[in-house]
């Protein structure tokens, strides 16, 4: 069995005898995601001292952890530092665009670029920084402290995490889950039945003993009431790992058996295959150097539906348990498909053509380190991006970047309905072209916090967030957030009082795309 001792989300800080360290900066960034990196680069360009405190042990978030086929709605909507990143990839792989940008890449290349950016910008990055507390004076954060005793003080703070951990500890308003459609006059929010993609296309019995409800439900099926179309709940769209695979024999590690492997966990997948459907690995997009980016597809695939609902607000120990559950599920599924003799031989042979790349994620046996947290907490500010903005029924007048991706929610629940298994929550509806994202959606209410920016878990409804939540857009918003921070410091004002005209002019000067 492979050694996966380094494949973890959280380990408590080790006891130490040194004095707690105090780090001061103009802009303190929590989260080494692409948003945090872009913010740090922009801060440096505008004369600010920035520092990044990263929860994990790697830079780059999902962009450097398997999401190598960029999810993007409209390439012309991406400008500024984000565009610089994709152009730099083009110098390595050959550009797909007139300006040399490339959109498919290997994870280690992305991480290498990000690390070089931080070195050139002279931005210190501290890893394994687990936020413990936030101190405020009035409506301003003055410091954040880590479990290891490190304290960060700054004039401005930026939450670049996928979960919204900093703003939650700062006491600002937020939400988790799906709003009812009635809250923001939407039609694609809340409980969603009937969308055709990523659901069962064959009848599958959900019970441990087929046809016997008293025998209990198979693993992965939730024993809950289905609810009503459009009704809100606390469900969160499913997480998975974006798994980098390779079919290059010399670089291929056979899918390993995960710790505590239990083949019965995949009985539902086996029944689906026996029902005539084999599509669990259909969304396996090719990348350079014989690699691919495996994502969820179909009724039963890599999305661990329903297993993540506690993650956004969970403590670190609970998240570690959820993380390992996702590791076991995703790794176990691949091992099951490649090795279980009940799986048809043709499928086993097809799966075994792929494996983990030996030259990626070396410390974790080729397995990506970052769980794909598609949605965590979401800020609730004075301005909320909604489905109405995606459809351009409403247009934000204070644009700091564009979103253009499908209004996309992965499934949130797997249920029993009329004696069969169904998935609930998937939505994939195109917006009406690129649309502006409001500056007001990345700053909290003024009375709650005047020196905090939130470019990732911004103020948006569940379904609008599903369109905005793409890595290039996070980079765009990170750059815009740092620009606003610099202007606020120069003008000695709160972030809510930044003059939008001044912000807009600087963003355009720096290559941001603000209008379609």
């Amino acid at each position: 069995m492979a050694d996966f001792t380094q494949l973890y989300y959280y380990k408590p800080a080790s006891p130490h005898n040194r004095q707690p360290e105090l780090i001061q900066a103009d802009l303190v960034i929590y989260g080494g995601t692409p948003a945090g990196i872009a913010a740090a680069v922009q801060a440096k360009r505008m004369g600010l001292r920035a520092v990044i405190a990263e929860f994990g042990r790697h830079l780059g978030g999902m962009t450097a952890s398997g999401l190598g086929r960029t999810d993007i709605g409209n390439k012309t909507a991406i400008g500024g530092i984000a565009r610089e990143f994709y152009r730099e990839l083009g110098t390595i792989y050959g550009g797909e665009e007139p300006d040399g940008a490339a959109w498919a890449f290997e994870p280690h290349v992305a991480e290498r670029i990000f690390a070089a950016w931080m070195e050139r910008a002279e931005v210190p990055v501290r890893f394994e920084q687990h936020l413990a507390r936030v101190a405020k004076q009035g409506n301003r954060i003055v410091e954040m402290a880590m479990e290891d005793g490190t304290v960060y003080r700054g004039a401005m703070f930026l939450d670049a995490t996928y979960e919204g951990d900093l703003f939650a500890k700062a006491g600002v308003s937020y939400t988790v889950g799906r709003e009812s459609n009635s809250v923001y006059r939407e039609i694609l929010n809340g409980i969603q039945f009937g969308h055709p993609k990523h659901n069962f296309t064959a009848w599958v019995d959900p019970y441990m003993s087929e046809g016997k409800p008293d025998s209990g439900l198979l693993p992965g099926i939730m024993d809950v009431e289905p609810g009503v179309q459009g009704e809100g709940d606390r469900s969160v769209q499913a997480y998975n790992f974006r798994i980098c695979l390779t079919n290059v024999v010399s670089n291929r590690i056979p899918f390993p058996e995960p710790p505590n492997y239990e083949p019965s966990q995949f009985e539902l997948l086996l029944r689906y295959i026996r029902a005539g459907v084999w599509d669990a690995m259909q969304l396996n997009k090719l990348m350079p150097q014989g690699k691919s980016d495996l994502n969820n597809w179909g009724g039963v695939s890599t999305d661990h539906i329903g297993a993540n609902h506690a993650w956004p607000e969970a403590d670190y120990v609970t998240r570690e348990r959820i993380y390992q559950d996702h590791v076991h599920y995703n790794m176990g599924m691949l091992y099951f498909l490649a090795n279980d003799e009940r799986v048809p031989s043709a499928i086993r042979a097809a799966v075994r053509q792929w494996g983990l790349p030996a030259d990626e994620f070396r410390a974790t046996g080729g397995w990506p380190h970052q769980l794909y947290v598609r949605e965590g907490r979401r800020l609730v500010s004075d301005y909320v991006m909604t489905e109405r903005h995606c459809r351009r029924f409403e247009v934000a007048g204070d644009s700091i970047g564009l979103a253009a991706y499908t209004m996309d929610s992965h499934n949130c629940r797997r249920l029993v309905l009329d004696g069969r298994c169904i998935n609930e929550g998937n939505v994939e509806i195109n917006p009406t072209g690129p649309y502006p994202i409001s500056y007001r959606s990345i700053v909290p209410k003024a009375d709650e916090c005047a020196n905090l920016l939130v470019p990732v878990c911004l103020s948006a409804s569940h379904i609008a967030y599903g369109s905005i939540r793409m890595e290039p857009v996070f980079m765009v918003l990170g750059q815009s957030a740092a620009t606003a921070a610099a202007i606020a410091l120069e003008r000695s004002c709160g972030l809510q009082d930044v003059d939008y005209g001044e912000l807009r002019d600087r963003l355009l000067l720096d290559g941001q795309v603000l209008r379609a």
Side-chain angles (χ1 to χ4, degrees), residues 219-255:
I221 303 174
M222 303 169 68
D223 186 11
V224 295
E225 291 297 319
V228 177
Q229 180 83 356
E231 183 178 69
D233 65 8
R234 299 278 291 180
S235 298
V236 177
Q237 62 176 308
Y239 302 168
N240 65 348
F241 287 90
R242 291 290 285 261
I243 309 165
C244 183
L245 304 182
T246 184
N247 58 5
V248 177
V249 175
S250 61
N251 193 37
R252 185 180 67 195
I253 302 171
F255 294 125

Side-chain angles (χ1 to χ4, degrees), residues 14-32:
S14 301
H16 55 76
N17 297 318
R18 65 176 175 81
Q19 287 294 107
E21 189 172 359
L22 173 62
I23 298 173
Q24 300 189 71
D26 299 311
L27 179 62
V28 176
I29 300 166
Y30 190 50

Side-chain angles (χ1 to χ4, degrees), residues 75-141:
K75 296 170 184 176
T76 64
I78 303 303
I81 290 170
R83 194 76 183 195
E84 293 175 31
F85 173 72
Y86 295 104
R87 284 201 299 264
E88 188 161 342
L89 289 169
T91 66
I92 297 168
Y93 296 112
E96 306 166 16
E97 304 292 326
D99 67 349
W103 307 94
F105 52 90
E106 299 163 276
H108 76 272
V109 173
E111 187 169 7
R112 186 177 70 210
I113 290 172
F114 288 142
W117 280 13
M118 294 299 92
E119 185 175 354
R120 287 199 300 270
E122 299 179 313
V123 173
V125 181
R126 306 296 292 267
F127 294 102
E128 295 191 278
Q129 296 295 281
H130 307 147
L131 183 61
R133 63 174 179 83
V134 171
K136 293 173 71 178
Q137 290 181 356
N139 67 341
R140 288 181 174 266
I141 299 172

